[in-house]
Amino acid sequence: MLDERKLAVLRAIVEDYVSTTEPVGSKSLVDRHGLDVSPATIRNDMAVLEEQGFIVQPHTSAGRIPTDKGYRLFVDRLSSIKPMSTAERRAIETFLAGACSLDDVVTRTVRLLAQLTRQVAVVQYPSLSRSAVRHIELVSLTPQRVLLVLITDNGRVEQATVDLPDAAEPESIAHLRAVLNACLDGHRLSDAAKTVAVLADRIPVSERPNAGAVFSVLLDSLADRHEERVVFGGTANLAAPDFSRGLRDVLEALEEQVVLMRLLGEAASPSALTVRIGAETGLEGASVVSAAYGAGGQAVAKLGVLGPTRMDYPGAMGAVRAVARYVGRILGEA
Amino acid sequence: MLDERKLAVLRAIVEDYVSTTEPVGSKSLVDRHGLDVSPATIRNDMAVLEEQGFIVQPHTSAGRIPTDKGYRLFVDRLSSIKPMSTAERRAIETFLAGACSLDDVVTRTVRLLAQLTRQVAVVQYPSLSRSAVRHIELVSLTPQRVLLVLITDNGRVEQATVDLPDAAEPESIAHLRAVLNACLDGHRLSDAAKTVAVLADRIPVSERPNAGAVFSVLLDSLADRHEERVVFGGTANLAAPDFSRGLRDVLEALEEQVVLMRLLGEAASPSALTVRIGAETGLEGASVVSAAYGAGGQAVAKLGVLGPTRMDYPGAMGAVRAVARYVGRILGEA
DNA sequence: ATTGGCACTCAGGGATGCTGAGTGCCAGGC
DNA sequence: GCCTGGCACTCAGCATCCCTGAGTGCCAAT
């Protein structure tokens, strides 16, 4: 029902509209692309495409613009991911190579993605549950309060303060630390729950309330809650006339971790790209291109860009894919 | 040259303009405020105020709006800081009380300030140089790479990876850690430089290259660079029709640490408020209300809000002052 | 199936005119 | 000397109108 030429017309409409921001008409289409037919023919094709819901007219006697469905078809079948130029690859590499901590990697990745795509970039911190404990440190702040620091094998450092039910002697804290490190060192955080259950045996009864407080913070607070940390950047790119009305919604979504997580979508295998278009994102007129990244074949988190529905999908997909790969590599080394 | 009534007129103009966003004329002034004179009198006063540069007409036959100079006078002499309601105080307290790590305190503070003022909130991390070392941890990642974790007495945790010139045995790393902790524990970071210089003596010659690498990261990277970390939030509040044109500039400024630091201004004594208006901020049409906060009389960092020049200064000042105090208290306890 | 021709539609951009809020100035009153 | 009422003047904003040009849909001819 959609022959070659009609698909070509749709592709041309998407490309033109993305670059000009204006409804594209039959005449300019034949001019700008090497279509060897007359405008009238194109008009017939466009009528069919409109009937099928791929394009619409904003008003009578205007050109056509793609619908979400039109972009969908474009992304799925009519476009190919645009590979990065060698200059861009080099820029990515040098930009990320200078990072000296996990925070630094994430921060730089956000800036990089935002710059490459000229959109808002979103990066999720690597998941803790898949990483292993390298070291646990307990530092007493006051007699009834300790600082718990968790260091994982992928270089992530998490901290939390724990309020103890009883005042604790320095020795008992030292003992607790020793026990924790002895039992958890090298273990996956996702397995930690079982391991911790066994631990109680090794703690003197008098210390158990305190130990329990530390355990629960370790499990709940660190493993679960912080797992969802997501940062964003490049909001200045929203100031373009895009998002004329939805701007506030977009900015609010960005500052809401939960929404941000949902935007990045379900976990997928590394470097598989996910594209959500328009209504699929839950945000009016916005699209999200995202990918999982990870070290050594294991997906640990996601990153992506958010832009107007009318965005350069091939370019964004290329950038997201490339950055996801490089970040995975960097993390793998660390 | 400016009698009581003229000042009252200026105050009324600022208040009305801030709340209505529209140039205010002589008639509406006498109506809305209890001025016992005729519009004509007000007009004469306004003519004087305009001549002195406190107000302008956007165009002939429109009302007046305050100039930067007008806002300045308003802030300095015509307004008083609006104290928080008890409900607001309670909200601040409960909102900040739940924080369990320094990151958490900062994140919550940003959200809180943004919500209270309906502006963009900016918070600088507490300075490291004034705080003391509580613990230093070295964790080897690979033979030639260690993770350095620094824990300070105000609960801040800093991390960095160090590339070693030579491969290091686990024992030598353990030794280095012991030496570092023995010598730096309890010392101010600002004094650390001298202390570290002495340290070299206690390290075997063969280990000195590695130790040097660790020292330099410890001093440079942690104490200096990260000191300037600033976070912001509440950008959705920019979506109001304010900043119609300068939006992009503002968003760009927010993502540039250096600019952000400049906006917060020079250090000052705790809870002394700084107000920068319009051109003083370097941003078109923007104003910044900021304050230093700190634990125990010592200023450690600044926080504030950024909004349109036409903002509710008394309210913003009240919120900034209150939040700065509470944050200082929280940090003092930790 | 494609094409040229033709009538039709309508957003966007001036041009025009009106209205109302607001001003400046002046002459008279306290 | 300061305040006030009156009056003429200005001009942004809004509505109205018109025109143009890009773009369409349809149809008959190829």
Side-chain angles (χ1 to χ4, degrees), chain A residues 5 36-38 40-41 43-45 59-61:
Chain A
R5 196 187 56 218
D36 269 340
V37 289
S38 80
T41 311
R43 283 205 285 280
N44 290 330
D45 291 348
H59 49 261
T60 343
S61 90

Side-chain angles (χ1 to χ4, degrees), chain A residues 200-213:
Chain A
D201 297 342
R202 305 211 202 168
I203 308 283
V205 175
S206 63
E207 307 289 344
R208 292 207 181 147
N210 283 346

Side-chain angles (χ1 to χ4, degrees), chain A residues 134 333-334, chain B residues 139-147 163-164 168 173:
Chain A
R134 176 147 261 153
E333 286 171 4
Chain B
V139 180
S140 80
L141 298 172
T142 69
Q144 296 227 25
R145 187 179 258 181
V146 298
L147 179 67
D163 287 312
L164 301 176
I173 288 182

Side-chain angles (χ1 to χ4, degrees), chain A residues 110-111 113-121 233-243 247 306-308, chain B residues 247-248 251-252 255:
Chain A
V110 167
R111 294 178 89 95
L113 253 184
Q115 219 168 313
L116 282 173
T117 61
R118 304 188 161 278
Q119 307 289 355
V120 177
T235 46
N237 295 321
L238 291 174
D242 311 333
F243 290 118
L247 178 62
L306 180 155
Chain B
L247 179 62
R248 191 186 177 91
L251 284 168
E252 270 170 2
E255 298 204 346

Side-chain angles (χ1 to χ4, degrees), chain B residues 5 36-41 43-44 59-61:
Chain B
R5 197 188 53 216
D36 270 339
V37 288
S38 81
T41 311
R43 284 206 283 280
N44 290 330
H59 48 262
T60 344
S61 88

Side-chain angles (χ1 to χ4, degrees), chain B residues 48-322:
Chain B
V48 175
L49 287 168
E50 179 158 22
E51 200 181 345
Q52 312 257 358
F54 295 110
I55 53 179
V56 283
Q57 291 184 282
H59 48 262
T60 344
S61 88
R64 308 302 217 286
I65 62 178
T67 61
D68 287 2
K69 190 179 169 191
Y71 285 116
R72 176 90 275 158
L73 185 59
F74 174 80
V75 167
D76 289 346
R77 298 190 37 208
L78 301 178
S79 71
S80 54
I81 300 173
K82 188 172 136 214
M84 298 279 93
S85 70
T86 50
E88 285 168 319
R89 291 175 172 278
R90 186 162 311 145
I92 295 174
E93 209 154 1
T94 57
F95 198 76
L96 289 183
C100 68
S101 73
L102 184 66
D103 275 343
D104 216 18
V105 171
V106 172
T107 311
R108 281 166 185 252
T109 304
V110 168
R111 296 177 88 95
L112 179 63
L113 253 185
Q115 218 169 312
L116 282 173
T117 61
R118 304 190 160 277
Q119 308 288 356
V120 177
V122 183
V123 178
Q124 180 188 11
Y125 267 73
S127 156
L128 277 179
S129 65
R130 282 239 172 74
S131 51
V133 177
R134 176 148 260 155
H135 189 82
I136 290 175
E137 188 59 38
L138 289 175
V139 180
S140 80
L141 298 172
T142 69
Q144 296 227 25
R145 187 179 258 181
V146 298
L147 179 67
L148 172 65
V149 179
L150 170 72
I151 302 168
T152 71
D153 62 349
N154 56 10
R156 183 160 170 185
V157 177
E158 283 292 330
Q159 54 173 311
T161 57
V162 184
D163 287 312
L164 301 176
D166 309 324
E169 302 297 316
E171 308 89 64
S172 69
I173 288 182
H175 178 234
L176 185 53
R177 168 173 44 212
V179 170
L180 277 174
N181 276 300
C183 296
L184 292 180
D185 198 12
H187 283 67
R188 287 276 159 90
L189 267 175
S190 47
D191 306 336
K194 311 161 206 162
T195 320
V196 163
V198 187
L199 268 183
D201 297 342
R202 305 213 200 167
I203 308 282
V205 176
S206 63
E207 307 289 344
R208 292 206 182 147
N210 282 346
V214 173
F215 292 165
S216 74
V217 169
L218 181 62
L219 293 176
D220 293 358
S221 171
L222 300 189
D224 289 347
R225 206 185 58 202
H226 283 234
E227 179 153 354
E228 303 207 328
R229 253 174 89 195
V230 184
V231 299
F232 62 89
T235 46
N237 295 322
L238 292 173
D242 313 332
F243 290 118
S244 40
R245 195 60 264 138
L247 179 62
R248 191 186 177 91
D249 292 339
V250 174
L251 284 168
E252 270 170 2
L254 285 174
E255 298 204 346
E256 208 53 61
Q257 297 283 318
V258 192
V259 181
L260 222 43
M261 286 295 304
R262 187 172 51 65
L263 283 178
L264 282 176
E266 304 305 316
S269 61
S271 33
L273 287 167
T274 308
V275 181
R276 334 190 118 209
I277 295 170
E280 299 167 12
T281 65
L283 284 173
E284 195 68 26
S287 286
V288 175
V289 176
S290 60
Y293 68 91
Q298 277 284 38
V300 294
K302 308 203 80 180
L303 55 76
V305 300
L306 180 155
T309 308
R310 160 186 44 69
M311 75 186 281
D312 171 19
Y313 291 96
M317 291 165 83
V320 168
R321 187 178 63 179

Side-chain angles (χ1 to χ4, degrees), chain A residues 96-232:
Chain A
L96 289 183
C100 69
S101 73
L102 183 66
D103 275 343
D104 216 18
V105 171
V106 172
T107 310
R108 282 167 185 250
T109 304
V110 167
R111 294 178 89 95
L112 179 63
L113 253 184
Q115 219 168 313
L116 282 173
T117 61
R118 304 188 161 278
Q119 307 289 355
V120 177
V122 183
V123 178
Q124 180 188 9
Y125 269 72
S127 157
L128 278 178
S129 65
R130 283 240 173 72
S131 52
V133 176
R134 176 147 261 153
H135 188 82
I136 290 175
E137 188 60 38
L138 289 175
V139 181
S140 80
L141 298 171
T142 70
Q144 297 226 22
R145 190 179 256 180
V146 298
L147 179 68
L148 171 64
V149 179
L150 169 73
I151 302 168
T152 71
D153 62 349
N154 57 9
R156 182 160 171 185
V157 178
E158 283 293 328
Q159 53 173 310
T161 56
V162 184
D163 286 313
L164 301 176
D166 310 323
E169 301 298 316
E171 310 90 63
S172 68
I173 289 181
H175 178 234
L176 184 53
R177 168 173 45 215
V179 170
L180 278 173
N181 276 300
C183 298
L184 293 180
D185 197 11
H187 285 65
R188 287 277 159 88
L189 267 174
S190 47
D191 305 336
K194 310 162 205 160
T195 322
V196 164
V198 187
L199 269 183
D201 297 342
R202 305 211 202 168
I203 308 283
V205 175
S206 63
E207 307 289 344
R208 292 207 181 147
N210 283 346
V214 173
F215 292 164
S216 75
V217 170
L218 181 62
L219 294 177
D220 294 357
S221 172
L222 299 189
D224 289 346
R225 207 183 58 203
H226 283 235
E227 178 154 354
E228 301 208 328
R229 254 174 88 197
V230 185
V231 299
F232 62 88

